[in-house]
Each structure stands twice: as C-alpha cells, then as structure tokens.
Amino acid sequence: MTTPPAQGSAPIAAIVLTHNEERNIRDCLSSLTGWVEQLFVVDSGSTDGTLAIAREFGATILTHPFEHYGAQRNWALTNCPLTAPWVLNVDADERVTPELRESIMRAVATSDTELCGFLMSRRTIFMGRWIRHGGHYPAWHLRLFRRGRGSCEDRLYDQHFHCDGPVRKLAGDLIDTLTPSITAFSVRHVRWAQLEAEEQERDASNDAEGVRIRGNVGAGANAIESRRWLRERYGRLPLFARPLLYFLYRYLLRLGFLDGKEGLIFHFLQGFWYRFLVDSMVFERRKAAKQREPTAR
C-alpha cells in the first residue's frame, strides 16, 4: 500500500483525469505522491483497475461523465475540494521528472505574489523514442497555476490551460508516453479528428461573428498565446494543402528526420495523416451543409 503525501509537502493540489488508465496511472501517481499536498483523480467511468490503483496511492476520487477534455478539466477545477494554493494538472499518461519536481517545489516556495503560473516543457516518448525534433521539443504548456487563477480553453480538442497573470518557465520535463500501439494511436486520433473538425467549424463561425479569442506573438506573448496565434494562421490555409506544408515544415525544416524511423512514423501520422483526416472531415461537413441549403428559386 502506497502511503499518502507526507506532512510538509509542497502546497500543491495535483489533478489527474482518468478513464481506463490502469496501464499508465501507477507511474503517473508514483511521480506525484510524497511531495504534493493533495492528490485528486477525476474519473469518467473506468471499468478496469484504474480506481483500485488510485486508492492504493491515497488519491481522492471524484467521478463525472466525460464531455470533452476542456469541460472535464474545468469541472475538476470547480468541484475538487482544493485547499492548496497551487494547482498542478497532469494527464494519466504523463510523469513528472525528478528535475521538474524539484523545480516546481522551489518555484512555489519562492515565487512572488504577482506571478500567476508556470510553464513546463512536455517531452514526448513515441514507440520508446524521445521525439526531440520537428519543433516538438521543447513544447511549453501551462500546467501549474494559483488556485482560482487558471482554467482550460473551451475547445473540443487541442485545448490548453491559461491564467490571468504573468507566467514563467520551469526547468525539467513532463514526460508524455504516447500510445501502446499504432492501432490505439490511430483509433484515438480518428476520434480527435472528428472533434477538431467540429471545432474548426465553430472557430469559423466565431470568426464571422467576431467573438473568438485571438492569439498573440511578439514581445509580451507567452507560449500559449503564440500557439493560439499559429493555430489561427494554420486554419486560414487551404484545405489539404496545409497538412502537406505542415509535415514538410516539421520533417525537413525543423529536422524531424533526425528522430529516426520512430520519428518518421510519428511526424507523418501526427503531422500529416491526422491533419489530412481533419481536413477531409471539414470538407465532408461543408459539403453536407451545402446540400442541405434550400435551392434558390
């Protein structure tokens, strides 16, 4: 039986979302226990051993039906009985490295009161290989922020946390261990492609109404704002051309070919195939919408 966090641990509440994550959850929780003040697992109906493992680690378990990641993350932030002044959000297939743990503990102990949150770099492991190139590392994500100061974007897919104040970067990586198999990777991305196609159509509608939150680049912009700006620019490129351009940019200009055979598979599937699938679904949705339009008399 794993003991719960010790007294005197860092003033942090860690939140982990789960659904049938028995393959990943033990390593994830092992990287969190012993140094965070509170540990929450928010589950959406697991039928495997996920919750039994979570109980071994002394986690407080809440359950809530899954709508999409953004909604689930925000529900967790609102409904977990958070008392720690800082909140750390970690996915079940992620692990906090010892270097990142030490960096986090120093940061929350010494940060000034004006600081809202911290960015940490995610290290992607695909088929056992660290994907270092193709612009995929370092990939900065806001995962640690003051309680009540942060939330997640209301997006169906590719959502990120943001907070209402200054942020800083931390040393150390958050390891992201992707997919047990290519089949699982493909099935997951087909589902995500459907969500992203729907999201892009919603973005287009919000653009027309002038209500979408804009990204930013240049002086004063953080990594999240810059990523949003790049996502907007990508969305303006022609369907079917943009996946090819993006893959060539990642694989050639950003040296993705240096990631070996595993990198070729990853950059092609995630950088081209997935995005081509999204474009195909967007095209399908738009074609169906036109066919539903009444014929002009």
Side-chain angles (χ1 to χ4, degrees), residues 21 24 69 93 177-180 183-193 274:
E21 291 285 358
N24 295 307
Y69 283 106
D93 56 0
T177 306
L178 289 183
T179 196
T183 298
F185 180 94
S186 301
V187 169
R188 184 178 299 178
H189 278 72
V190 168
R191 183 173 72 251
W192 290 344
Y274 164 71

mmCIF file of all heavy atoms in Angstrom, residues 21 24 69 93 177-180 183-193 274:
data_model
loop_
_atom_site.group_PDB
_atom_site.id
_atom_site.type_symbol
_atom_site.label_atom_id
_atom_site.label_comp_id
_atom_site.label_asym_id
_atom_site.label_seq_id
_atom_site.Cartn_x
_atom_site.Cartn_y
_atom_site.Cartn_z
ATOM 1 N N GLU A 21 -7.284 3.747 -17.358
ATOM 2 C CA GLU A 21 -5.861 4.082 -17.474
ATOM 3 C C GLU A 21 -4.978 3.180 -16.605
ATOM 4 O O GLU A 21 -3.903 3.598 -16.174
ATOM 5 C CB GLU A 21 -5.636 5.545 -17.068
ATOM 6 C CG GLU A 21 -6.205 6.560 -18.027
ATOM 7 C CD GLU A 21 -5.370 6.703 -19.296
ATOM 8 O OE1 GLU A 21 -4.327 6.037 -19.399
ATOM 9 O OE2 GLU A 21 -5.793 7.480 -20.176
ATOM 10 N N ASN A 24 -1.285 3.156 -17.345
ATOM 11 C CA ASN A 24 -0.476 4.350 -17.142
ATOM 12 C C ASN A 24 -0.496 4.926 -15.735
ATOM 13 O O ASN A 24 0.451 5.594 -15.314
ATOM 14 C CB ASN A 24 -0.952 5.465 -18.100
ATOM 15 C CG ASN A 24 -0.723 5.120 -19.544
ATOM 16 O OD1 ASN A 24 0.379 4.767 -19.951
ATOM 17 N ND2 ASN A 24 -1.777 5.239 -20.357
ATOM 18 N N TYR A 69 -12.306 17.191 -23.100
ATOM 19 C CA TYR A 69 -11.236 17.442 -22.143
ATOM 20 C C TYR A 69 -11.346 18.815 -21.482
ATOM 21 O O TYR A 69 -11.131 18.963 -20.276
ATOM 22 C CB TYR A 69 -9.874 17.288 -22.821
ATOM 23 C CG TYR A 69 -9.472 15.859 -23.022
ATOM 24 C CD1 TYR A 69 -9.516 15.274 -24.285
ATOM 25 C CD2 TYR A 69 -9.044 15.078 -21.950
ATOM 26 C CE1 TYR A 69 -9.155 13.946 -24.481
ATOM 27 C CE2 TYR A 69 -8.689 13.751 -22.128
ATOM 28 C CZ TYR A 69 -8.732 13.191 -23.402
ATOM 29 O OH TYR A 69 -8.388 11.874 -23.584
ATOM 30 N N ASP A 93 -1.167 9.644 -18.669
ATOM 31 C CA ASP A 93 -0.019 9.059 -19.371
ATOM 32 C C ASP A 93 1.221 9.951 -19.288
ATOM 33 O O ASP A 93 2.163 9.792 -20.063
ATOM 34 C CB ASP A 93 -0.362 8.763 -20.834
ATOM 35 C CG ASP A 93 -0.866 9.985 -21.590
ATOM 36 O OD1 ASP A 93 -0.956 11.070 -20.977
ATOM 37 O OD2 ASP A 93 -1.167 9.852 -22.788
ATOM 38 N N THR A 177 4.082 9.786 -22.412
ATOM 39 C CA THR A 177 4.305 8.488 -23.041
ATOM 40 C C THR A 177 3.121 8.147 -23.928
ATOM 41 O O THR A 177 2.044 7.802 -23.440
ATOM 42 C CB THR A 177 4.500 7.390 -21.979
ATOM 43 O OG1 THR A 177 5.548 7.778 -21.097
ATOM 44 C CG2 THR A 177 4.867 6.069 -22.633
ATOM 45 N N LEU A 178 3.319 8.257 -25.239
ATOM 46 C CA LEU A 178 2.212 8.094 -26.180
ATOM 47 C C LEU A 178 1.974 6.632 -26.535
ATOM 48 O O LEU A 178 2.915 5.910 -26.839
ATOM 49 C CB LEU A 178 2.495 8.867 -27.474
ATOM 50 C CG LEU A 178 2.436 10.395 -27.414
ATOM 51 C CD1 LEU A 178 2.672 10.966 -28.804
ATOM 52 C CD2 LEU A 178 1.097 10.859 -26.895
ATOM 53 N N THR A 179 0.724 6.211 -26.502
ATOM 54 C CA THR A 179 0.143 5.054 -27.146
ATOM 55 C C THR A 179 0.855 3.715 -27.001
ATOM 56 O O THR A 179 2.045 3.605 -27.230
ATOM 57 C CB THR A 179 -0.045 5.336 -28.657
ATOM 58 O OG1 THR A 179 -0.922 4.380 -29.214
ATOM 59 C CG2 THR A 179 1.255 5.338 -29.421
ATOM 60 N N PRO A 180 0.125 2.680 -26.613
ATOM 61 C CA PRO A 180 0.707 1.345 -26.537
ATOM 62 C C PRO A 180 0.903 0.690 -27.893
ATOM 63 O O PRO A 180 1.625 -0.298 -28.006
ATOM 64 C CB PRO A 180 -0.332 0.577 -25.709
ATOM 65 C CG PRO A 180 -1.626 1.270 -25.988
ATOM 66 C CD PRO A 180 -1.263 2.728 -26.145
ATOM 67 N N THR A 183 -2.185 0.958 -33.623
ATOM 68 C CA THR A 183 -3.638 0.819 -33.737
ATOM 69 C C THR A 183 -4.342 1.727 -32.739
ATOM 70 O O THR A 183 -5.275 2.458 -33.095
ATOM 71 C CB THR A 183 -4.053 -0.647 -33.504
ATOM 72 O OG1 THR A 183 -3.459 -1.471 -34.500
ATOM 73 C CG2 THR A 183 -5.572 -0.792 -33.555
ATOM 74 N N ALA A 184 -3.893 1.707 -31.484
ATOM 75 C CA ALA A 184 -4.502 2.564 -30.467
ATOM 76 C C ALA A 184 -4.305 4.036 -30.804
ATOM 77 O O ALA A 184 -5.218 4.855 -30.628
ATOM 78 C CB ALA A 184 -3.898 2.248 -29.099
ATOM 79 N N PHE A 185 -3.126 4.385 -31.295
ATOM 80 C CA PHE A 185 -2.836 5.756 -31.705
ATOM 81 C C PHE A 185 -3.803 6.202 -32.798
ATOM 82 O O PHE A 185 -4.366 7.305 -32.750
ATOM 83 C CB PHE A 185 -1.392 5.834 -32.213
ATOM 84 C CG PHE A 185 -0.945 7.196 -32.671
ATOM 85 C CD1 PHE A 185 -0.279 8.053 -31.808
ATOM 86 C CD2 PHE A 185 -1.165 7.619 -33.977
ATOM 87 C CE1 PHE A 185 0.155 9.311 -32.229
ATOM 88 C CE2 PHE A 185 -0.754 8.867 -34.408
ATOM 89 C CZ PHE A 185 -0.092 9.708 -33.533
ATOM 90 N N SER A 186 -4.017 5.342 -33.791
ATOM 91 C CA SER A 186 -4.873 5.684 -34.925
ATOM 92 C C SER A 186 -6.330 5.830 -34.506
ATOM 93 O O SER A 186 -7.005 6.784 -34.901
ATOM 94 C CB SER A 186 -4.744 4.618 -36.020
ATOM 95 O OG SER A 186 -3.407 4.501 -36.464
ATOM 96 N N VAL A 187 -6.813 4.889 -33.689
ATOM 97 C CA VAL A 187 -8.204 4.942 -33.232
ATOM 98 C C VAL A 187 -8.448 6.219 -32.442
ATOM 99 O O VAL A 187 -9.458 6.911 -32.627
ATOM 100 C CB VAL A 187 -8.545 3.696 -32.385
ATOM 101 C CG1 VAL A 187 -9.891 3.864 -31.694
ATOM 102 C CG2 VAL A 187 -8.534 2.452 -33.257
ATOM 103 N N ARG A 188 -7.507 6.554 -31.556
ATOM 104 C CA ARG A 188 -7.641 7.761 -30.745
ATOM 105 C C ARG A 188 -7.662 9.007 -31.614
ATOM 106 O O ARG A 188 -8.454 9.927 -31.396
ATOM 107 C CB ARG A 188 -6.490 7.820 -29.746
ATOM 108 C CG ARG A 188 -6.554 8.976 -28.779
ATOM 109 C CD ARG A 188 -5.396 8.919 -27.797
ATOM 110 N NE ARG A 188 -5.414 7.712 -26.990
ATOM 111 C CZ ARG A 188 -4.484 7.409 -26.082
ATOM 112 N NH1 ARG A 188 -3.464 8.212 -25.894
ATOM 113 N NH2 ARG A 188 -4.584 6.304 -25.377
ATOM 114 N N HIS A 189 -6.808 9.049 -32.629
ATOM 115 C CA HIS A 189 -6.722 10.246 -33.463
ATOM 116 C C HIS A 189 -7.897 10.377 -34.435
ATOM 117 O O HIS A 189 -8.238 11.490 -34.834
ATOM 118 C CB HIS A 189 -5.383 10.274 -34.219
ATOM 119 C CG HIS A 189 -4.248 10.807 -33.374
ATOM 120 N ND1 HIS A 189 -3.699 10.092 -32.345
ATOM 121 C CD2 HIS A 189 -3.594 12.007 -33.408
ATOM 122 C CE1 HIS A 189 -2.740 10.815 -31.773
ATOM 123 N NE2 HIS A 189 -2.670 11.970 -32.395
ATOM 124 N N VAL A 190 -8.503 9.263 -34.812
ATOM 125 C CA VAL A 190 -9.731 9.355 -35.605
ATOM 126 C C VAL A 190 -10.814 10.049 -34.784
ATOM 127 O O VAL A 190 -11.539 10.931 -35.277
ATOM 128 C CB VAL A 190 -10.207 7.967 -36.067
ATOM 129 C CG1 VAL A 190 -11.624 8.035 -36.637
ATOM 130 C CG2 VAL A 190 -9.248 7.405 -37.122
ATOM 131 N N ARG A 191 -10.923 9.685 -33.509
ATOM 132 C CA ARG A 191 -11.909 10.326 -32.633
ATOM 133 C C ARG A 191 -11.582 11.800 -32.436
ATOM 134 O O ARG A 191 -12.465 12.656 -32.490
ATOM 135 C CB ARG A 191 -11.924 9.603 -31.279
ATOM 136 C CG ARG A 191 -12.973 10.150 -30.309
ATOM 137 C CD ARG A 191 -13.066 9.306 -29.057
ATOM 138 N NE ARG A 191 -11.898 9.475 -28.195
ATOM 139 C CZ ARG A 191 -10.960 8.549 -28.004
ATOM 140 N NH1 ARG A 191 -11.040 7.385 -28.631
ATOM 141 N NH2 ARG A 191 -9.945 8.778 -27.200
ATOM 142 N N TRP A 192 -10.298 12.116 -32.244
ATOM 143 C CA TRP A 192 -9.897 13.507 -32.068
ATOM 144 C C TRP A 192 -10.088 14.315 -33.342
ATOM 145 O O TRP A 192 -10.384 15.507 -33.290
ATOM 146 C CB TRP A 192 -8.441 13.578 -31.605
ATOM 147 C CG TRP A 192 -8.256 13.088 -30.200
ATOM 148 C CD1 TRP A 192 -9.231 12.895 -29.255
ATOM 149 C CD2 TRP A 192 -7.023 12.726 -29.577
ATOM 150 N NE1 TRP A 192 -8.688 12.438 -28.085
ATOM 151 C CE2 TRP A 192 -7.332 12.325 -28.239
ATOM 152 C CE3 TRP A 192 -5.696 12.703 -30.002
ATOM 153 C CZ2 TRP A 192 -6.339 11.909 -27.354
ATOM 154 C CZ3 TRP A 192 -4.714 12.291 -29.108
ATOM 155 C CH2 TRP A 192 -5.036 11.900 -27.809
ATOM 156 N N ALA A 193 -9.907 13.681 -34.500
ATOM 157 C CA ALA A 193 -10.108 14.385 -35.769
ATOM 158 C C ALA A 193 -11.557 14.845 -35.912
ATOM 159 O O ALA A 193 -11.826 15.939 -36.421
ATOM 160 C CB ALA A 193 -9.712 13.487 -36.947
ATOM 161 N N TYR A 274 -3.040 12.764 -39.634
ATOM 162 C CA TYR A 274 -4.098 13.236 -38.754
ATOM 163 C C TYR A 274 -4.713 14.526 -39.276
ATOM 164 O O TYR A 274 -5.939 14.687 -39.314
ATOM 165 C CB TYR A 274 -3.545 13.430 -37.337
ATOM 166 C CG TYR A 274 -4.442 14.259 -36.454
ATOM 167 C CD1 TYR A 274 -5.650 13.747 -35.988
ATOM 168 C CD2 TYR A 274 -4.089 15.561 -36.103
ATOM 169 C CE1 TYR A 274 -6.483 14.513 -35.187
ATOM 170 C CE2 TYR A 274 -4.920 16.321 -35.302
ATOM 171 C CZ TYR A 274 -6.107 15.797 -34.853
ATOM 172 O OH TYR A 274 -6.930 16.560 -34.073
#
